[in-house]
Amino acid sequence: MKIGVNSWSLPNDLTVEETFQLAKEAGFETIEFNMAEEVKVESIVSDLGLEDTVHLTLNMREDELLKIKRLSEKYDLPISSIATALHWKYPLNDPDPTVREQGKEVARRMIDACYILGGDTVLIVPGVVNEERPYDTCYELAKEAFIELAPYAEEKGIYLGVENVWNKFLYSPLEMRQFIDEINHPYVKVYFDAGNVLQFGFPDQWVRILGERIAKVHVKDFNTAVGNINGFTTLLAGSLNWPRLMESLKEISYTGPITAELSPYAYEGDQLARDTAKAIERLVNM
């Protein structure tokens, strides 16, 4: 397993090159970038409540992406995957078909960028359930979207990683497994977030149930005594049973990145990178 970081975890005032430089100096072996719209939209947040740090945008030209790829090669720090918060704004299950199409177009742009940057996975929030977006409809619309997107992803050699997030959807590992199996495509897998599970279950159980369906792994910790979004915390500081999680990942022969997705420190933001890389190093060596 490799030591990875999502760029949301790093100070958000860094240039792309400074981001690579800090991540490499801290000890990370892979990095995940996030895709935003052309203009920073303050309302776009991830499931952690993080503003979208703009390094990749939907309309970036190939030459611009290749500049980032060259930096990745310069610092010997591969871009493993691409994430986005845009599927909270353009959910694949929105009642408006125009919004759904925007969500699918976001996914296609992510696939294109990931292909150019040398990654192999894009993180997709599968849907958002609320009073206007019923659960059963979300299930069907999300499944239809992934079935439609899968051939394009396969053409580019990029996996679609369905992430488990706090979206009131797919909160059971059995249902997540069923969802993936019903889509039944080799390029549709799970982007498993261990910290997001803790409010509702046990990460090692999810890993064993999902098995080879897991394409990538996000880590953050969570304090179950807090029990709300304020419970997310740095690695090794919450309620996650890390030995059980790492044991389960080894059991399914997972060899990909363990990618941290954390809120930056309020001060001396570079220190989070250094602390987190050391923490993941200890985890993968358990």
Side-chain angles (χ1 to χ4, degrees):
M1 287 178 264
K2 297 185 181 299
I3 304 168
V5 66
N6 179 290
S7 62
W8 269 321
S9 307
L10 307 177
N12 61 13
D13 59 349
L14 301 180
T15 66
V16 175
E17 181 157 13
E18 288 169 340
T19 298
F20 276 113
Q21 185 175 19
L22 172 57
K24 184 66 176 181
E25 289 176 355
F28 290 104
E29 299 170 308
T30 66
I31 191 167
E32 176 176 84
F33 278 99
N34 306 288
M35 182 165 279
E37 293 185 284
E38 279 297 323
V39 179
K40 186 172 182 180
V41 180
E42 298 296 337
S43 61
I44 297 176
V45 295
S46 75
D47 54 304
L48 279 178
L50 305 177
E51 292 181 359
D52 205 349
T53 302
V54 179
H55 287 143
L56 299 179
T57 60
L58 291 175
N59 297 316
M60 266 188 167
R61 302 186 310 270
E62 182 174 351
D63 64 306
E64 294 174 310
L65 292 168
L66 286 172
K67 288 180 182 178
I68 297 175
K69 176 70 182 305
R70 285 193 287 272
L71 287 172
S72 169
E73 293 167 345
K74 174 182 176 179
Y75 288 93
D76 190 24
L77 192 62
I79 298 169
S80 60
S81 47
I82 295 177
T84 190
L86 288 170
H87 285 120
W88 293 93
K89 184 178 182 182
Y90 306 118
L92 297 174
N93 67 309
D94 197 88
D96 184 343
T98 302
V99 175
R100 296 201 300 272
E101 287 304 315
Q102 287 175 299
K104 285 183 276 189
E105 184 60 21
V106 167
R108 293 187 191 98
R109 299 290 179 88
M110 293 173 72
I111 291 167
D112 290 342
C114 194
Y115 172 75
I116 293 169
L117 293 169
D120 64 9
T121 305
V122 295
L123 181 155
I124 309 288
V125 173
V128 181
V129 172
N130 58 27
E131 290 182 347
E132 288 72 41
R133 301 179 186 130
Y135 198 112
D136 54 347
T137 304
C138 181
Y139 192 94
E140 294 305 321
L141 289 174
K143 189 165 70 169
E144 288 173 12
F146 280 101
I147 290 171
E148 180 181 334
L149 291 166
Y152 188 71
E154 181 177 19
E155 179 184 326
K156 299 287 186 177
I158 303 297
Y159 291 99
L160 301 174
V162 181
E163 190 187 28
N164 55 294
V165 296
W166 285 21
N167 55 351
K168 303 185 186 301
F169 184 52
L170 301 178
Y171 275 2
S172 156
L174 297 177
E175 188 179 24
M176 177 67 87
R177 184 178 66 184
Q178 174 184 306
F179 182 76
I180 298 298
D181 288 353
E182 287 181 2
I183 294 169
N184 190 28
H185 194 284
Y187 277 81
V188 179
K189 292 184 174 287
V190 177
Y191 201 128
F192 176 64
D193 189 306
N196 283 345
V197 166
L198 280 166
Q199 181 68 354
F200 318 104
F202 302 93
D204 61 293
Q205 294 179 13
W206 276 68
V207 169
R208 292 186 175 96
I209 289 168
L210 294 175
E212 64 183 10
R213 298 168 186 83
I214 295 175
K216 290 284 188 292
V217 174
H218 263 171
V219 289
K220 48 184 171 278
D221 217 329
F222 181 78
N223 189 335
T224 55
V226 176
N228 58 43
I229 198 167
N230 297 313
F232 287 110
T233 186
T234 52
L235 305 187
L236 312 180
S239 306
L240 205 154
N241 188 324
W242 293 101
R244 289 179 67 93
L245 172 63
M246 301 312 295
E247 180 185 5
S248 67
L249 289 170
K250 290 172 183 176
E251 283 180 15
I252 68 165
S253 300
Y254 178 78
T255 57
I258 302 296
T259 300
E261 186 194 37
L262 303 166
S263 298
Y265 290 159
Y267 304 100
E268 306 297 337
D270 63 307
Q271 189 60 41
L272 177 72
R274 304 177 200 285
D275 294 345
T276 301
K278 289 297 184 185
I280 298 177
E281 182 181 11
R282 295 195 66 167
L283 292 174
V284 299
N285 290 320
M286 276 185 171

Coordinates of all heavy atoms in Angstrom, one line a residue, residues 27-78:
G27 N 6.6 13.2 2.5 CA 6.7 11.7 2.5 C 5.6 11.0 1.8 O 5.6 9.7 1.8
F28 N 4.7 11.7 1.1 CA 3.6 11.0 0.3 C 4.2 10.4 -0.9 O 5.1 10.9 -1.6 CB 2.5 12.0 0.0 CG 1.7 12.4 1.3 CD1 1.9 13.7 1.8 CD2 0.9 11.6 1.9 CE1 1.3 14.1 3.0 CE2 0.2 11.9 3.0 CZ 0.4 13.2 3.6
E29 N 3.5 9.3 -1.4 CA 3.9 8.6 -2.6 C 3.0 8.8 -3.7 O 3.3 8.5 -4.9 CB 4.1 7.1 -2.2 CG 5.1 6.8 -1.2 CD 5.1 5.4 -0.7 OE1 4.0 4.9 -0.3 OE2 6.2 4.8 -0.7
T30 N 1.8 9.2 -3.4 CA 0.8 9.5 -4.4 C 0.0 10.8 -4.0 O -0.1 11.1 -2.8 CB -0.2 8.4 -4.7 OG1 -1.0 8.2 -3.5 CG2 0.5 7.1 -5.1
I31 N -0.7 11.4 -5.0 CA -1.5 12.6 -4.6 C -2.8 12.5 -5.4 O -2.8 12.0 -6.5 CB -0.8 13.9 -4.9 CG1 -1.5 15.1 -4.3 CG2 -0.5 14.1 -6.4 CD1 -0.7 16.4 -4.2
E32 N -3.9 13.0 -4.8 CA -5.2 13.1 -5.5 C -5.6 14.6 -5.6 O -5.5 15.3 -4.6 CB -6.2 12.4 -4.7 CG -7.6 12.4 -5.2 CD -8.6 11.6 -4.3 OE1 -9.0 12.1 -3.3 OE2 -8.8 10.4 -4.7
F33 N -5.9 15.0 -6.8 CA -6.3 16.4 -7.0 C -7.9 16.4 -7.1 O -8.5 15.4 -7.3 CB -5.7 17.0 -8.3 CG -4.3 17.5 -8.0 CD1 -3.2 16.7 -8.4 CD2 -4.1 18.7 -7.4 CE1 -1.9 17.2 -8.1 CE2 -2.8 19.2 -7.2 CZ -1.7 18.5 -7.5
N34 N -8.4 17.6 -7.0 CA -9.8 17.8 -7.0 C -10.2 18.8 -8.2 O -9.6 19.8 -8.4 CB -10.3 18.5 -5.7 CG -9.8 17.6 -4.5 OD1 -10.3 16.6 -4.3 ND2 -8.8 18.1 -3.8
M35 N -11.3 18.4 -8.8 CA -11.8 19.2 -10.0 C -12.9 20.2 -9.5 O -13.9 19.8 -8.9 CB -12.3 18.3 -11.1 CG -12.7 19.0 -12.3 SD -12.9 18.0 -13.8 CE -11.1 17.8 -14.3
A36 N -12.8 21.4 -10.0 CA -13.8 22.5 -9.7 C -14.3 23.1 -11.0 O -13.8 22.7 -12.1 CB -13.2 23.5 -8.8
E37 N -15.2 24.0 -10.9 CA -15.6 24.8 -12.0 C -14.5 25.8 -12.4 O -13.6 26.0 -11.7 CB -17.0 25.4 -11.8 CG -18.0 24.3 -11.7 CD -19.4 24.9 -11.5 OE1 -19.8 25.4 -10.4 OE2 -20.2 24.8 -12.5
E38 N -14.8 26.6 -13.4 CA -13.8 27.6 -13.8 C -13.6 28.6 -12.8 O -12.4 29.0 -12.5 CB -14.3 28.3 -15.1 CG -14.0 27.5 -16.4 CD -12.5 27.3 -16.6 OE1 -11.7 28.2 -16.3 OE2 -12.1 26.2 -17.1
V39 N -14.6 29.0 -12.1 CA -14.5 30.1 -11.1 C -14.8 29.4 -9.7 O -15.7 28.6 -9.6 CB -15.6 31.2 -11.3 CG1 -15.5 32.2 -10.2 CG2 -15.3 31.8 -12.7
K40 N -14.1 29.8 -8.7 CA -14.3 29.2 -7.4 C -15.7 29.5 -6.9 O -16.1 30.7 -6.9 CB -13.2 29.7 -6.4 CG -13.3 29.0 -5.0 CD -12.1 29.5 -4.2 CE -12.2 28.7 -2.8 NZ -11.1 29.1 -2.0
V41 N -16.4 28.5 -6.5 CA -17.8 28.7 -6.1 C -17.8 28.4 -4.6 O -17.6 27.3 -4.2 CB -18.8 27.8 -6.8 CG1 -20.2 27.9 -6.3 CG2 -18.7 28.0 -8.3
E42 N -18.1 29.4 -3.8 CA -17.9 29.2 -2.3 C -18.9 28.2 -1.8 O -18.6 27.6 -0.7 CB -18.2 30.6 -1.6 CG -17.2 31.7 -2.0 CD -15.8 31.4 -1.6 OE1 -15.6 30.6 -0.6 OE2 -14.8 31.9 -2.2
S43 N -20.0 27.9 -2.5 CA -21.0 27.0 -1.9 C -20.6 25.6 -2.1 O -21.3 24.7 -1.6 CB -22.4 27.3 -2.5 OG -22.3 27.1 -3.9
I44 N -19.6 25.3 -3.0 CA -19.3 23.9 -3.2 C -18.4 23.4 -2.1 O -17.3 24.0 -1.8 CB -18.5 23.8 -4.6 CG1 -19.4 24.2 -5.7 CG2 -18.0 22.4 -4.8 CD1 -18.7 24.2 -7.1
V45 N -18.8 22.3 -1.5 CA -18.1 21.8 -0.4 C -18.0 20.3 -0.5 O -18.9 19.7 -1.2 CB -18.7 22.1 1.0 CG1 -18.6 23.6 1.3 CG2 -20.1 21.6 1.1
S46 N -17.0 19.7 0.1 CA -17.0 18.2 0.1 C -17.8 17.7 1.3 O -18.4 18.5 2.1 CB -15.5 17.8 0.3 OG -15.1 18.0 1.6
D47 N -17.8 16.4 1.6 CA -18.6 15.9 2.7 C -17.9 16.3 4.0 O -18.5 16.2 5.1 CB -18.7 14.4 2.6 CG -17.3 13.7 2.4 OD1 -16.6 14.0 1.5 OD2 -17.0 12.9 3.3
L48 N -16.7 16.8 4.0 CA -16.0 17.3 5.2 C -16.3 18.8 5.4 O -15.9 19.4 6.4 CB -14.5 17.2 5.0 CG -13.9 15.8 5.3 CD1 -12.4 15.8 5.1 CD2 -14.2 15.4 6.7
G49 N -17.0 19.5 4.5 CA -17.2 20.9 4.6 C -16.1 21.7 4.1 O -15.9 22.9 4.5
L50 N -15.2 21.2 3.3 CA -14.1 21.9 2.8 C -14.4 22.6 1.5 O -15.1 22.1 0.6 CB -12.9 20.9 2.5 CG -12.5 20.0 3.6 CD1 -11.4 19.0 3.1 CD2 -12.0 20.8 4.8
E51 N -13.9 23.9 1.4 CA -14.0 24.6 0.1 C -13.1 23.9 -0.9 O -12.1 23.3 -0.6 CB -13.6 26.1 0.3 CG -14.5 26.9 1.1 CD -14.1 28.3 1.3 OE1 -13.0 28.7 0.7 OE2 -14.8 29.1 1.9
D52 N -13.6 24.0 -2.2 CA -12.9 23.3 -3.2 C -11.6 24.1 -3.6 O -11.7 25.2 -4.1 CB -13.8 23.2 -4.5 CG -13.4 22.1 -5.4 OD1 -12.3 21.5 -5.2 OD2 -14.2 21.8 -6.3
T53 N -10.4 23.6 -3.3 CA -9.2 24.2 -3.7 C -9.0 24.0 -5.2 O -9.0 22.9 -5.7 CB -8.0 23.6 -3.0 OG1 -8.2 23.7 -1.6 CG2 -6.7 24.3 -3.4
V54 N -8.9 25.1 -6.0 CA -8.9 25.0 -7.4 C -7.5 24.7 -8.0 O -6.7 25.6 -8.0 CB -9.5 26.3 -8.1 CG1 -9.5 26.2 -9.6 CG2 -10.9 26.5 -7.6
H55 N -7.2 23.5 -8.4 CA -6.1 23.1 -9.1 C -6.5 22.6 -10.5 O -5.7 22.8 -11.5 CB -5.2 22.1 -8.4 CG -4.5 22.7 -7.2 ND1 -4.3 22.0 -6.0 CD2 -3.9 23.9 -7.0 CE1 -3.7 22.7 -5.2 NE2 -3.4 23.9 -5.7
L56 N -7.6 21.9 -10.6 CA -8.1 21.4 -11.8 C -9.5 22.0 -12.0 O -10.2 22.1 -11.1 CB -8.3 19.9 -11.8 CG -7.0 19.0 -11.5 CD1 -7.4 17.5 -11.5 CD2 -6.0 19.2 -12.7
T57 N -9.8 22.4 -13.3 CA -11.1 22.9 -13.6 C -11.7 22.1 -14.8 O -10.9 21.5 -15.6 CB -11.0 24.4 -14.0 OG1 -10.2 24.6 -15.1 CG2 -10.5 25.2 -12.8
L58 N -13.0 22.2 -14.9 CA -13.7 21.4 -15.9 C -13.2 21.7 -17.3 O -13.2 20.8 -18.2 CB -15.2 21.7 -15.8 CG -15.9 21.2 -14.6 CD1 -17.4 21.7 -14.6 CD2 -15.9 19.7 -14.5
N59 N -12.8 22.9 -17.6 CA -12.5 23.3 -19.0 C -11.0 23.5 -19.3 O -10.6 24.2 -20.2 CB -13.3 24.6 -19.3 CG -14.8 24.4 -19.3 OD1 -15.3 23.4 -19.8 ND2 -15.5 25.3 -18.7
M60 N -10.2 22.9 -18.4 CA -8.8 22.9 -18.7 C -8.4 22.3 -20.0 O -8.9 21.2 -20.4 CB -8.0 22.2 -17.6 CG -7.6 23.1 -16.4 SD -6.5 22.2 -15.3 CE -5.8 23.6 -14.4
R61 N -7.5 23.0 -20.7 CA -7.0 22.4 -22.0 C -6.0 21.3 -21.7 O -5.4 21.2 -20.7 CB -6.4 23.5 -22.8 CG -7.3 24.7 -23.1 CD -6.6 25.7 -24.1 NE -5.3 26.0 -23.6 CZ -5.0 27.1 -22.8 NH1 -6.0 27.8 -22.4 NH2 -3.8 27.3 -22.5
E62 N -5.8 20.5 -22.8 CA -4.9 19.4 -22.6 C -3.5 19.9 -22.3 O -2.8 19.3 -21.5 CB -4.8 18.6 -23.9 CG -3.9 17.4 -23.8 CD -4.0 16.4 -25.0 OE1 -4.9 16.6 -25.9 OE2 -3.1 15.5 -25.1
D63 N -3.0 21.0 -22.9 CA -1.7 21.5 -22.6 C -1.5 21.9 -21.2 O -0.5 21.8 -20.6 CB -1.3 22.6 -23.6 CG -2.2 23.9 -23.4 OD1 -3.4 23.7 -23.5 OD2 -1.7 25.0 -23.2
E64 N -2.6 22.5 -20.6 CA -2.6 22.9 -19.2 C -2.5 21.6 -18.3 O -1.7 21.6 -17.3 CB -3.8 23.7 -18.8 CG -3.9 25.0 -19.5 CD -5.2 25.7 -19.3 OE1 -6.3 25.1 -19.5 OE2 -5.2 26.9 -18.9
L65 N -3.2 20.6 -18.6 CA -3.1 19.4 -17.8 C -1.8 18.7 -18.0 O -1.2 18.2 -17.0 CB -4.2 18.4 -18.3 CG -5.7 18.8 -18.0 CD1 -6.6 18.0 -18.8 CD2 -5.9 18.7 -16.5
L66 N -1.2 18.8 -19.2 CA 0.1 18.2 -19.4 C 1.2 18.9 -18.5 O 2.2 18.3 -18.1 CB 0.5 18.2 -20.8 CG -0.3 17.2 -21.7 CD1 0.0 17.4 -23.2 CD2 0.1 15.8 -21.3
K67 N 1.0 20.2 -18.3 CA 2.0 20.9 -17.4 C 1.9 20.4 -16.0 O 2.9 20.2 -15.3 CB 1.6 22.4 -17.4 CG 2.0 23.2 -18.7 CD 1.6 24.6 -18.5 CE 1.9 25.4 -19.8 NZ 1.5 26.8 -19.8
I68 N 0.7 20.0 -15.5 CA 0.6 19.4 -14.2 C 1.2 18.0 -14.2 O 1.9 17.6 -13.3 CB -0.9 19.3 -13.8 CG1 -1.5 20.8 -13.7 CG2 -1.1 18.6 -12.5 CD1 -3.0 20.8 -13.4
K69 N 1.0 17.3 -15.3 CA 1.6 15.9 -15.4 C 3.1 16.0 -15.4 O 3.8 15.2 -14.7 CB 1.2 15.3 -16.8 CG 1.8 14.0 -17.1 CD 1.3 12.9 -16.1 CE 1.9 11.5 -16.4 NZ 1.8 11.0 -17.7
R70 N 3.7 17.0 -16.0 CA 5.1 17.2 -16.0 C 5.6 17.5 -14.6 O 6.7 17.0 -14.1 CB 5.6 18.3 -17.0 CG 5.5 17.8 -18.4 CD 6.2 18.7 -19.3 NE 5.5 20.0 -19.5 CZ 4.6 20.2 -20.5 NH1 4.3 19.2 -21.3 NH2 4.0 21.4 -20.6
L71 N 4.8 18.3 -13.8 CA 5.2 18.5 -12.4 C 5.1 17.2 -11.6 O 6.0 17.0 -10.7 CB 4.3 19.6 -11.8 CG 4.5 21.0 -12.3 CD1 3.4 21.9 -11.8 CD2 5.9 21.5 -11.8
S72 N 4.1 16.4 -11.9 CA 4.0 15.1 -11.2 C 5.2 14.3 -11.5 O 5.8 13.6 -10.5 CB 2.7 14.4 -11.7 OG 2.7 13.1 -11.3
E73 N 5.7 14.3 -12.7 CA 6.9 13.5 -13.0 C 8.2 14.2 -12.4 O 9.1 13.5 -12.0 CB 7.1 13.5 -14.6 CG 5.9 12.7 -15.2 CD 5.9 12.8 -16.7 OE1 6.5 13.8 -17.2 OE2 5.2 12.0 -17.3
K74 N 8.2 15.5 -12.4 CA 9.4 16.2 -11.8 C 9.6 15.8 -10.4 O 10.7 15.6 -9.9 CB 9.2 17.7 -11.9 CG 10.3 18.6 -11.3 CD 10.0 20.1 -11.4 CE 11.0 20.9 -10.6 NZ 10.7 22.4 -10.7
Y75 N 8.5 15.8 -9.6 CA 8.5 15.5 -8.2 C 8.4 14.0 -7.9 O 8.3 13.6 -6.7 CB 7.5 16.3 -7.4 CG 7.9 17.7 -7.4 CD1 7.4 18.6 -8.3 CD2 8.8 18.2 -6.4 CE1 7.8 20.0 -8.3 CE2 9.1 19.5 -6.3 CZ 8.7 20.4 -7.3 OH 9.1 21.7 -7.2
D76 N 8.3 13.2 -9.0 CA 8.1 11.7 -8.8 C 7.0 11.4 -7.8 O 7.1 10.6 -6.9 CB 9.4 11.1 -8.3 CG 9.4 9.5 -8.3 OD1 8.6 9.0 -9.1 OD2 10.1 8.9 -7.5
L77 N 5.8 12.1 -8.1 CA 4.7 12.0 -7.2 C 3.4 11.7 -8.1 O 2.8 12.7 -8.6 CB 4.5 13.2 -6.4 CG 3.5 13.2 -5.2 CD1 3.9 12.1 -4.2 CD2 3.4 14.5 -4.6
P78 N 3.1 10.5 -8.4 CA 2.0 10.2 -9.3 C 0.6 10.7 -8.8 O 0.4 10.7 -7.6 CB 2.0 8.6 -9.4 CG 3.3 8.2 -8.9 CD 3.8 9.3 -7.9

